Amino acid sequence: MQKQQEVVQQSASRGDLLQRSARYTMHELIQAVFARLPEIEAKDREGDSESDMEDGDEGGGLEWGYGVRCAIDIFHFLCSLLNVVSVVEADGSASHTADEDVQIFALVLINSAIELSGDEIGKHPKLLRMIQDDLLHHLIYYGTWSSSFVLSMICSTVLNAYHFLRRFIRFQLEAFFGYVLIRIATFGSTIPLQEVAVEGIINFCRQPTFIMEVYANYDCDPCSRNVFEEVGRLLCKHSFALNGHLTSLHIQAFEGLLIMIHNIADNIDKDGSTGPLGPHTIQLPEYRPFWEEMDREEDLEAWVEHVRMRRLQKKKLLIAANHFNRDNKKGLEYLKHAKLISDPPDPKAYAYFFRYTPGLDKKTIGEYLGDPDPFYLQVLKEFTETFHFQGMVLDTALRFYLESFWLPGESQKIQRVLEAFSERFFDHQSSDLFASKDTVLILCYSLIMLNTDQHNPQVKKKMTEEEFIRNNRAINAGQDLPREYLSELFQSISTCAFSLSQTTVSLDMSPSRWIQLINRSKAEPPFTQCDFDRRICRDMFACIAGPSVAAFSSFFEHADEEELLHECIEGLFSVARICQYGLEDTLDELITSFCKFTTLLNPYASIEETMFTFSHDLKPRMATVAIFTIANYFRDSIQGGWKNIVDCLLKLKRLKLLPQSVIDFEASVDVPTTPESGVMSPTDDHKFGSQRFANMITRFSLLSSESMDDGLTLGSEFEQNIKMIKMCKIGSIFSNSSNIPKECLQSLGRSLIFAAAGKGHKFSTPVEEEETVEFCWDLITTISLANVHRFQIFWPNFHEYLLAVAQFPMFSPIPFTEKATLALLKVCLRLFSAPRDDKLAEEHIFKSITLMWKLDKEILDTCHEIISQSISKILIEYPANVQTPFGWKSVLNLLSVAWRHPETYEMGIEALIALFSDGTYISRTNYAYCIDCAFGCFLAKNSPVDKKKKILDLLAESVNLLTQWHRNQYSDPGSNVSAASYTSNSSMEDNLRGPASANYNMNLFVKLGEVFRRTSLSRQEEIRNHAVHSLHKSFNLAEELLYISSNCINYFNLVIFAMVDELHEKMLEYSRRENAERETRSMEGTLKLAMELLSDMYLQSLRQITESPGFRTFWLGVLRRMDTCMKADFGQYGPSTLSEIIPDLLRNIITQMKDEGILEPREEDDMWEITYIQIQWICPLLKDELFPL
């Protein structure tokens, strides 16, 4: 074997045949030795300990063949092959360089050895240490400057080591990515080198759990670099085509980005996954040391939260670093505020912050480390203990130590820093070279002075090596240090100066850095192997989300090949699959970026140009279908992106590419799965699964250029475009929206309402404007009907959008309010078609309807038919579902629209008759609105008299309800209406006379009487007379309400007396008109009925009236109206016939008053004398009859 090694090492000077034979033998030897390595565990591992491996063969070597020691020797030889050099002569001079041919041969053999041994190498400590230290150190060193072929082999070797041994090479992997792959891919001298580095990164990303493990081990470790984030951003950067042309590097990097994103999407959206998603954000509730790690095997759930917490701590540390560099005191205060350090502060937290936070001002760190305060002395101690100096030479250790901060200039601060270093370095030395830490301290000072002497240009006479050695005599406890050791230190400092004022870190893997890495790997926990977790997947993508969206947009813009476009669309959907788990902003950004590729948002494109583009360019078609597919499958996560989707949809509508058949608004919407309260349950069952993703991708096969090339006529173009639009399934975006979150629904509604109001749109013709507004309101109707189960949750925001629309500077209510009213009435009907526990929904919908007709009152006439039909249906079929006073007020106010138009009058009357005939749904809270609405129907001209008389009869009979409420002490069906609801939606007058008022029933009765009183002035004599009779009937039914004298007198004053006075005034008004005798006599007939009513009601209530203190005044009021009617004069139309009935009415009244002892001579009362005088004035003929001497 030794002979073979010599042949291989001297391959450059050996013959080809001998060289090939030696290499073939080496292959066979490695096959024989390393293939057997897994068996050693079971057979001859008894002697395999670290001490046993130092000398001699290991247990059973002769009996069982080759042992571990043989494998160690071979592997050591293979590593040495990486250092074989060849002499290259150029321009007469010879230079030494690595022999690439031997390196490649060595890497092939090393790969074979690792693949044959697998993870069994991890069970053999010395063999494992060779890979951890020698092999990977060589690979990182040569990987930074080797050729593309050697770099490719190095990447393959490290990938094999990751696959089998990643648990043992945590920090080595981080160094390989940071110092080799990322560095070359970013700053590579040639494109081929960059391509190899990118390909190496991609090969790692192809491993099933690589990106997850890298993120958890490095990006979530505040003491490590962000490997995953750097790799992701690097791939995004190389995916950009800056000059407009895609190169192989662009395509390669984009494919790598796709691999990462598909991997995350498949695992975050894995079918059958039951892992909890948890909150989208995580907080730091209390201080936790950010440098402490947790074992995944202890508690998986706790480990996931721990990893996410450390990632958050890492972000906050970077924020703290930014504050620290601007103002160090504010930076340290932020550490306390962010709970990154304890209160009181922990020196170790400060130390780790100074040591591992990148970008800190090193000069400020040095000042803190040299501070004499006891607290900062402890910080210095903890800071120094983060370094591991085992195996380091003093100057190497000191260089590495001083790279982490700027050595302060004050001598006392320098002393404190060097004392801490000396103590740590001395503790880590395994040899007896130094007698004490003081020796180290003295030598450190000497090295710093030497550095100044050798590299300061102001020092003219430089120190020699002998002087340096002489200056350091007897510093080791009175003894000299070895001359060779001091000589090496002198040469090292003379050749390479200390960077005492260095503010940046070198990009090279220096020996001191590598030794520190190896020492740290021994002290820190190993690489954590883990599978994907949905919560971490979301966090992973969040850190590269912005660059990824920008990369996709740029790549799609510059890609021309159909296959690349399809790959881009697949990646687009994978991004959407990830974004549905709490990354709504990224999804909105993605939609906004890709909407521009549809060409639908180009305001300057004509119909013909857009049609041609859709028919002959694959990219706009794919972008359009992709956008609407995302809207279909990921509507639950879209917020701001709805505006762009709606704009594209409206452009399709204007281009006549969206026929009515594409969107069936009358189709049934999906059944809601949320509870009646509208609160979304925290489940992810509605999320997009990988199986649905596969099904969705198949639709894009129909968009291939071959399938779109048949036919070039305009007709065929239109058919192809319609076929494409049908693929979008636009209707289901809105009809299947019952489960989307409230925020997404609000954003969709806002976009549609603002679009309907014309915000951001210009219409060429009024017809186009009307069609667009109607289309938008159809969509609003569809989503409202789909979400009617949680109407009270989302509609208040919709109403706010309507209020905002009304404030637009250029807002025109036409045709917006008309289309809005029609849409809102459809929603209103759906709301009332089923009982609802929540009473706010009807208030919300009627507030919006009221707002619309107040913006343009003409719409009440324009939409009178649909308004009448809708309201009539509610009152006839769903009156039990109207539950609030405001709801009843709105319904009955809208019903009044029916009285304005002959074609709807009959419909409105029937609804009102049905409401009063049943009487079940009339309550104290809506009674006033009912009678107000009924009065409106009496004002309509040319309307059926029999219907009006029916309404009057029903109004009179409704007094039974008032009596019942009075008798039952407010226990009617309307008593369940809350006082708050009534107060918030009623006028001030109604509030003062609300259901809680003691006289509320009486007030309602008075209001009813006022309706009869006003109706008695109708132009139709039959209606007037019937109103008087109905008033009399209602009075007779209200006996229980009028038992109090004050109620009775108040009713007479407000209703009876007022009716008589108004009829008398109206009669005289007619008598003064030309050719109005018929009207005058007709009004006279009504007044006769009113006077007879007055007489009858007075006598009926005589007992209650006489109990009132104001009876005398009331009685004079009766006599005054008798006198007025008795002396009525029609002028040109002759005398009035009222004088014929007044005497009889007076005779009946006075006779009954005398019989009951109410009117008789009394000394203390002048009623008799006053009545006598009034009768003598009104009707002298009755004086002697009624008042005999």
Side-chain angles (χ1 to χ4, degrees), residues 534-603:
R534 302 171 71 192
R535 291 159 291 183
I536 298 181
C537 284
R538 180 185 56 212
D539 298 341
M540 288 170 59
F541 180 74
C543 65
I544 62 168
S548 297
V549 171
F552 273 98
S553 179
S554 174
F555 193 87
F556 190 81
E557 180 180 4
H558 296 101
D560 295 322
E561 297 182 15
E562 184 174 328
E563 182 180 355
L564 295 179
L565 293 176
H566 278 280
E567 289 181 0
C568 193
I569 293 298
E570 291 180 15
L572 186 75
F573 290 143
S574 288
V575 172
R577 291 165 62 194
I578 302 170
C579 291
Q580 66 182 327
Y581 295 97
L583 298 174
E584 292 81 6
D585 292 342
T586 302
L587 184 58
D588 293 336
E589 182 183 353
L590 186 72
I591 292 172
T592 302
S593 299
F594 270 77
C595 277
K596 66 181 181 182
F597 300 121
T598 65
T599 68
L600 295 174
L601 301 184
N602 183 1

Side-chain angles (χ1 to χ4, degrees), residues 1167-1182:
M1167 281 282 294
W1168 178 270
E1169 289 77 7
I1170 291 176
T1171 304
Y1172 175 78
I1173 295 172
Q1174 290 294 326
I1175 294 299
Q1176 185 177 9
W1177 176 260
I1178 298 171
C1179 185
L1181 299 177
L1182 291 178

Side-chain angles (χ1 to χ4, degrees), residues 10 76 180 325 512 680 697 910 996 1055 1088 1125:
Q10 301 172 10
H76 183 271
V180 180
N325 291 338
S512 60
M680 302 295 292
I697 290 297
E910 291 298 331
V1055 179
K1088 286 181 180 180
C1125 293

Side-chain angles (χ1 to χ4, degrees), residues 715-875:
S716 63
E717 290 178 1
F718 181 79
E719 292 174 0
Q720 294 289 355
N721 291 329
I722 292 298
K723 180 180 179 182
M724 180 201 68
I725 297 302
K726 287 183 177 180
M727 290 173 57
C728 299
K729 298 181 179 179
I730 295 174
S732 62
I733 297 175
F734 306 96
S735 61
N736 297 333
S737 61
S738 63
N739 284 324
I740 68 174
K742 174 187 174 183
E743 295 77 11
C744 302
L745 185 62
Q746 290 172 354
S747 298
L748 174 57
R750 182 179 185 273
S751 301
L752 290 171
I753 291 173
F754 281 16
K759 185 176 183 180
H761 299 274
K762 293 183 179 180
F763 305 104
S764 57
T765 63
V767 174
E768 181 184 286
E769 178 183 7
E770 183 173 356
E771 290 178 350
T772 302
V773 174
E774 182 178 7
F775 181 69
C776 289
W777 274 106
D778 282 342
L779 295 178
I780 297 170
T781 302
T782 302
I783 64 173
S784 299
L785 295 180
N787 292 275
V788 72
H789 58 287
R790 49 175 176 156
F791 188 84
Q792 73 282 1
I793 301 296
F794 71 87
W795 193 261
N797 295 91
F798 280 30
H799 184 73
E800 292 297 324
Y801 303 149
L802 295 176
L803 291 173
V805 161
Q807 304 300 320
F808 286 174
M810 303 298 292
F811 173 68
S812 173
I814 301 174
F816 181 87
T817 53
E818 177 186 347
K819 305 303 180 184
T821 301
L822 297 177
L824 292 173
L825 287 171
K826 292 180 183 178
V827 178
C828 187
L829 276 176
R830 175 64 68 85
L831 277 174
F832 288 107
S833 62
R836 301 179 62 85
D837 295 333
D838 183 80
K839 300 175 183 178
L840 295 177
E842 65 184 74
E843 294 191 7
H844 294 323
I845 189 65
F846 282 125
K847 280 183 181 179
S848 298
I849 294 175
T850 302
L851 174 64
M852 290 301 100
W853 67 256
K854 284 186 176 180
L855 290 175
D856 180 17
K857 295 186 177 181
E858 293 183 1
I859 65 170
L860 294 177
D861 296 320
T862 305
C863 307
H864 69 276
E865 189 169 355
I866 185 65
I867 291 175
S868 301
Q869 290 175 356
S870 302
I871 300 303
S872 297
K873 186 173 183 179
I874 291 174
L875 288 177

Side-chain angles (χ1 to χ4, degrees), residues 48-68:
D48 186 18
S49 65
E50 195 158 340
S51 60
D52 292 335
M53 288 188 295
E54 297 298 334
D55 301 294
D57 198 4
E58 293 197 48
L62 296 177
E63 181 180 357
W64 298 103
Y66 304 112
V68 176

Side-chain angles (χ1 to χ4, degrees), residues 632-681:
N632 247 311
Y633 289 99
F634 306 101
R635 67 177 75 90
D636 295 0
S637 305
I638 303 175
Q639 293 185 6
W642 282 119
K643 180 183 182 303
N644 298 90
I645 295 173
V646 170
D647 288 344
C648 291
L649 196 57
L650 294 182
K651 187 61 177 290
L652 289 174
K653 181 68 175 178
R654 293 182 190 178
L655 295 174
K656 310 300 181 184
L657 292 176
L658 200 65
Q660 187 64 33
S661 59
V662 175
I663 301 181
D664 185 8
F665 293 112
E666 301 301 326
S668 59
V669 298
D670 58 347
V671 179
T673 60
T674 53
E676 186 70 21
S677 64
V679 178
M680 302 295 292
S681 58

Side-chain angles (χ1 to χ4, degrees), residues 927-1043:
Y927 185 80
Y929 306 134
C930 292
I931 57 181
D932 283 340
C933 178
F935 174 71
C937 75
F938 302 138
L939 304 179
K941 300 178 181 179
N942 304 321
S943 53
V945 174
D946 58 330
K947 298 293 184 182
K948 292 183 177 181
K949 292 169 67 175
K950 177 66 173 177
I951 293 293
L952 286 170
D953 291 338
L954 291 173
L955 286 175
E957 294 173 1
S958 69
V959 177
N960 290 323
L961 294 173
L962 296 175
T963 304
Q964 180 183 351
W965 301 336
H966 179 77
R967 184 183 305 124
N968 296 338
Q969 295 296 317
Y970 313 117
S971 61
D972 67 291
S975 61
N976 58 350
V977 179
S978 66
S981 176
Y982 188 92
T983 303
S984 62
N985 298 291
S986 301
S987 65
M988 181 62 70
E989 179 184 359
D990 289 338
N991 188 28
L992 293 175
R993 301 165 57 191
S997 172
N999 292 324
Y1000 185 66
N1001 293 325
M1002 185 61 201
N1003 293 336
L1004 292 178
F1005 179 62
V1006 171
K1007 190 174 183 66
L1008 176 63
E1010 291 173 345
V1011 168
F1012 290 134
R1013 171 181 63 79
R1014 288 183 290 172
T1015 307
S1016 66
L1017 300 175
S1018 172
R1019 284 178 168 272
Q1020 296 175 295
E1021 180 180 9
E1022 191 172 356
I1023 298 301
R1024 290 200 308 270
N1025 295 340
H1026 203 82
V1028 175
H1029 288 301
S1030 298
L1031 177 59
H1032 195 180
K1033 180 179 179 181
S1034 68
F1035 189 86
N1036 292 333
L1037 294 174
E1039 181 179 357
E1040 295 185 29
L1041 297 173
L1042 301 170
Y1043 72 94

